[in-house]
Amino acid sequence: MKVTRRMLPFIALFVGLTAFVSSDGSDAVVGTWLNGTKKGHVQIYKQGGTYFGKLVWLGQPNDADTGKPRTDTKNVDPSKRSRPLLNMPLMYNFRYDGGNVWSDGKIYNPEDGKEYNCKMILENPNTLLVRGYVGISLFGKTQTWTRVK
């Protein structure tokens, strides 16, 4: 009886810590990633049932000419060209398909100001393949992202 009473807090703690862990691996993509160009870190997070990403670090956060924070100068929408790149949402509406694949998302490329269809494949816990494409996945480009520790 005394052993059971002593173990009860540990059992409750274990249940509490594991109750919110995803058992299907859907949250394995959550974290901060160094993008394929090595110019920025993207934080991928879950909101509701979908996954999003925002730019949280830039290798060159300030414009070389003005010294001011870099902005979204290449955006096709002129009203968005003055928004700062840092903390800007770049990825949205990804859903987990199973088998380490997240699809049906969109990715914005601030280097050309365009948005692309996108899917992500978690190759291993520290390597993420991010494929942006137009139309079908066949017409696109894949970048290898690495997890930031």
Side-chain angles (χ1 to χ4, degrees):
M1 183 77 163
K2 283 184 179 182
V3 174
T4 305
R5 273 196 190 153
R6 288 183 185 163
M7 292 300 294
L8 192 58
F10 294 108
I11 293 170
L13 179 64
F14 177 77
V15 170
L17 290 175
T18 59
F20 299 103
V21 175
S22 174
S23 62
D24 63 0
S26 63
D27 291 347
V29 74
V30 171
T32 303
W33 299 87
L34 175 66
N35 69 2
T37 64
K38 312 276 190 256
K39 295 179 181 179
H41 292 176
V42 177
Q43 179 185 13
I44 297 177
Y45 57 96
K46 186 176 184 179
Q47 189 172 350
T50 55
Y51 297 83
F52 298 82
K54 67 179 179 177
L55 190 61
V56 294
W57 177 86
L58 283 167
Q60 295 180 337
N62 295 326
D63 183 273
D65 296 330
T66 66
K68 294 180 180 178
R70 291 180 55 203
T71 59
D72 192 13
T73 57
K74 305 248 175 123
N75 197 302
V76 295
D77 180 351
S79 70
K80 294 182 178 178
R81 292 182 184 158
S82 62
R83 68 181 176 169
L85 288 178
L86 204 56
N87 292 315
M88 184 174 72
L90 296 178
M91 306 170 79
Y92 58 93
N93 294 338
F94 286 85
R95 65 177 176 77
Y96 181 61
D97 283 346
N100 291 334
V101 176
W102 291 258
S103 64
D104 295 335
K106 299 279 186 178
I107 188 165
Y108 174 73
N109 180 1
E111 291 185 357
D112 67 10
K114 296 179 182 173
E115 185 176 271
Y116 300 92
N117 295 323
C118 188
K119 80 177 192 177
M120 302 182 290
I121 301 170
L122 190 65
E123 193 169 72
N124 64 54
N126 296 311
T127 306
L128 183 66
L129 303 178
V130 178
R131 183 159 185 84
Y133 58 94
V134 176
I136 59 172
S137 183
L138 180 65
F139 302 111
K141 180 180 178 183
T142 301
Q143 284 189 350
T144 301
W145 292 14
T146 53
R147 191 179 295 274
V148 176
K149 302 209 184 233

